[in-house]
Amino acid sequence: MNQTLGRADQMSARADAPRATDVALLASVFVIAACGLLYELAAGALASYLLGDSVLQFSTIIGTYLFAMGIGSWLSRYFERQLPAHFLRIELLVALVGGALPATLFIVNAHVPGAFRVLLYAMVLLVGTLVGLEIPLVMRILKRNVRLQDLVSQVLTFDYLGALAVSLAFPLLLVPQLGLVRTGFLFGFMNAAVAVWALWLFRHELRRVRAHALACAAVLAALLAGLIGADQLTRFAEDKFYADRIVFSEASPYQRIVLTQGRGGVRLYLNGNLQFAESDEYRYHEALVHPAMAAHGGPRRVAVLGGGDGMAVREILKYPSVQSVTLVELDPAMTQLFATNPQLVRLNGGALQDARVQVVNDDAFQWLQRPDLGFFDVIVVDFPDPTHFAIGKLYTDSFYALLRQHLAASGYAVVQTTSPLVARKSFWTVAATIEAVGLQAVPYHAHVPSFGEWGYVIASQRPWQPPQSLPPGLRFLDAASLPLLLQFPRDMARVPAEVNRLSNQVLVHTYEQEWGRVHP
């Protein structure tokens, strides 16, 4: 009887050890899933930053990544022996390739831009294949001690939980606080830590433990060096990309904000696209604001949608009749930066600190749906160009219909509308879309050296007439030259254009095609 009890105790002790190993492996599944999704999101974010059209980039990245995971799962059938050793090696490879993915792509885009797209999808394919190998190997290791029914449910539960955690942390915490490069190295380090964990758990099964330990140490050291030097790597890539010296950079939940300083002064870039240059921004903003403001006669209540830099607000405040300006800017990082940075406050004349200005950090599309807004005498629409669908919705007939509901009967709205020379059809698509909601459209253009010929459209319910006078002290516009902005030469003259709707967003596709011919 005592011998029977002794054997039972031994069996129980042997069963406890596998359970501890199983728990450790299931915890590693959580980390593996989080890291795998992080690399996918980082690749998609980089592609949308640098190639535009976020829907297209994320769709193709996700599709390629899932396809690669399928390849990895299929290849796992050929790993039959020494499964813990294969698992450890794969973890180290994922850690090294996935962790370095954002830094590598940033540097390649800056120094060899023609190779960016090829390398992007090559790295996504490689990381996806390696990630596809991970889970099947973990399941086969766990199968030694866990019933198949429990095995599948437990592995999938931890896999989905890891994916949920990183999908929430990526836009809300990781990118805003750490940036893409440091986040990549951090999660690569976590993947390598799983390899170290596997080395310890299976140390009695592994051959050449010392070689595995040296490999783990080398990968951890490389990733730690990348983590420490993330800022230097980012500057190395961005200094080459932007040419001028970078004086500020920040990755907000909505965009990457970069300020450079050169001979022409300060330049602002959002997701790599130039927004203004200090040397000639006055031309852009005077042309944007004054034709509508001066024509009104006595605007009191004004709204600015976009334009978080405060430059348009600066021009609006030159009118004594203005009693209130509501600035609606999605990204609080933009308004905070241009309200507090001394050099930028000098550029916008302290406009965001004026008592008449109210800053609202909200999506303009949603903000216009509020029933309590009332009417505005002038609405200035200063969004970035429609490079992807999230911005393209702000150029649709649905958006302009909302705009009309809050535009006073005697009021004017003005929309910045890309280049009528480079993106001719895109420009006239905006005009056609404004007319489709029952507003009159008055297109005009101005030359801004940093951008070339740039276009605008005034939208109103009453006819627009050129103003007889403009505020004193303007550097570009005067009443005599203003009518010249309405003249379009033959290569910018109106062409047939389809209305841009939420259901099709033709403007995004047209814009990409037209600007792609200039910057392939």
Side-chain angles (χ1 to χ4, degrees), residues 24 67 78 95 109 128 140 148 292 306 320 351 401 458 491 496 499 520:
F67 171 72
Y78 297 105
N109 180 71
R140 286 165 65 184
L148 180 62
I458 292 175
D491 58 354
V499 174

Side-chain angles (χ1 to χ4, degrees), residues 462-484:
R462 64 162 172 159
W464 176 86
Q465 297 294 331
Q468 299 302 308
S469 63
L470 295 174
L474 300 188
R475 299 169 61 189
F476 171 51
L477 283 184
D478 58 42
S481 62
L482 184 56
L484 299 176

